[in-house]
Structure formats: C-alpha cells, structure tokens
C-alpha cells in the first residue's frame, strides 16, 4: 500500500479524486450540499455558514473571518484547511461533530492549545505550522487514532519532542515527514503501544530505527525495509535519490 493510500486509510488526507468541483463562491451552492471544495477570494466566504448540511469542507485561503463562519457548521465531520492566515482557532471548538482535521500552511498559528477544545477528534494532521513547537496539547485527545505533524517541502517542522503523543491510547498511525524533534529522537515512540504505521524523516541514526523496531516488532515503517535492503539509512536515502 502506498503512502498516499495509508493517509486515506487513516483519514489524514482527503480523497481528492472524489471531491466536488472547485468553486470560489458559495452563491448557488444548495443548502443540501454535504461536500464542498472552496477557495476564498476577498469576501466570497460570506454566507458559507448557511450550509448547515455540510459534512466535508476543503477550504483554501482561509482568513480569520472565514474561519469564524466555518465554525458555525455544526454538522461538519471532515475539515481540510490550506493557506490560512487565521491565528486564533479556538472557534473550532463549536464544531461538535468534527472528527477529522487537516491544516496545511498555517504559519501564523502560535500554538496548539486550542485543540483541547476538540476532544472527539479521531484524526489530526498539521503541515508547516512553523511557530508550533510544543505538541503537549495533542496529548489530551484521547480519541485520536492518527496524528501528523509535518514540515513542508522546503521547511523542516521543528518540535520539542514526540513524547506527548506516545501515550495516546488508540493511536495507530503517526506521520512526521520532515519533522525534527529537539530532544529524545524516536525513543518516545517505543511507548506507543497501538502504533501500527509510521512515516518519519531520515533524520535519525540507524540504531534509532533498529531500536524502535525491536521495541515495536509489529510496526510498519518504510525505512525498516530500506535498511534491510541497503544496510544503512544513508545508503537507502542515496538509492532513493538515484
């Protein structure tokens, strides 16, 4: 199974092939719509809160005012936000049905304290939240089954440690592509008892990967097979670049 298939399996990405057609306006969208793919242009988001039947929303260029309207969608279950200038996400606590949240390129979001208002989340993934360092608030999400904290193609996401997510009782999958912890390396993941799948950057020495495999023998991580095939992480990375 490919990495993209795994992301769909664990609901940390959206099924782009099955989304409705892209729109820059909510005018003409029927009240009965359950899925929407929308890009804000100036004030084109105004009125999105009337779409009370929405279960899935993919939204681009979300500013603070747009986010406040999105938070009025009481039936929303899956929310994907890309390129947001919002810096206060506490309003999302009003989305009581929200189970799957993805935020990419939220460069003004200062922390993750607001996630404590979403205790029923089952999957959560961030990409390029450059101000965020502390993952501790994620430790409060006891229903979480999949979590991702990732850098972008051009920028590494730096966090204090992976330790806050290592004790979540039901997490099956973690996605740490281009994410570098300041301390502890992969060691906290030895305690992730339900962890089945891991995507992580090749920032860590061979022994860290081998120790993790010994601690979690049922864990699937693409680097494990590559180390077996090529002998070292360095050789595996070189082979991928050729």
């Amino acid at each position: 199974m490919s990495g993209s298939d795994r992301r769909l399996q664990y609901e940390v990405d959206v099924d782009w092939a099955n989304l409705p057609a892209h729109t820059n306006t909510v005018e003409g969208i029927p009240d009965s719509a359950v899925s929407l793919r929308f890009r804000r242009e100036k004030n084109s988001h105004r009125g999105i809160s009337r779409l009370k039947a929405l279960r899935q929303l993919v939204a681009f260029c979300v500013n603070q005012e747009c986010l406040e309207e999105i938070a009025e969608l009481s039936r929303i279950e899956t929310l994907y936000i890309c390129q947001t200038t919002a810096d206060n996400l506490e309003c999302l606590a009003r989305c009581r049905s929200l189970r799957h949240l993805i935020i990419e390129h939220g460069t003004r979001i200062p922390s993750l304290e607001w996630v404590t208002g979403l205790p029923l989340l089952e999957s959560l993934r961030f990409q390029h939240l450059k101000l965020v360092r502390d993952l501790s608030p994620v430790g409060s999400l006891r229903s979480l089954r999949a979590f991702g904290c990732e850098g972008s193609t051009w920028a590494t996401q730096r966090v204090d440690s992976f330790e806050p997510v290592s004790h979540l009782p039901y997490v099956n999958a973690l996605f740490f592509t281009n994410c570098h912890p300041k301390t502890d390396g992969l060691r906290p993941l030895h305690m992730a008892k339900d962890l089945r799948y891991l995507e992580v950057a090749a920032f860590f020495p061979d022994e860290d990967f081998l120790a993790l495999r010994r601690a979690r023998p049922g864990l699937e991580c693409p680097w494990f097979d590559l180390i077996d095939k090529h002998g070292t992480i360095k050789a595996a990375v070189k082979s991928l670049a050729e």
Side-chain angles (χ1 to χ4, degrees), residues 9-27:
Q9 175 189 352
Y10 290 110
E11 299 182 273
V12 293
D13 205 351
V14 292
D15 187 354
W16 296 96
N18 290 309
L19 288 176
H22 168 85
T23 180
N24 296 333
T25 178
V26 296
E27 292 183 11

Side-chain angles (χ1 to χ4, degrees), residues 65-82:
E65 182 182 294
C66 180
L67 188 70
E68 297 286 345
E69 276 220 42
I70 289 172
E72 299 301 319
L73 300 171
S74 59
R75 296 184 182 179
I76 200 78
E77 297 172 0
T78 299
L79 177 60
Y80 172 101
I81 294 173
C82 185

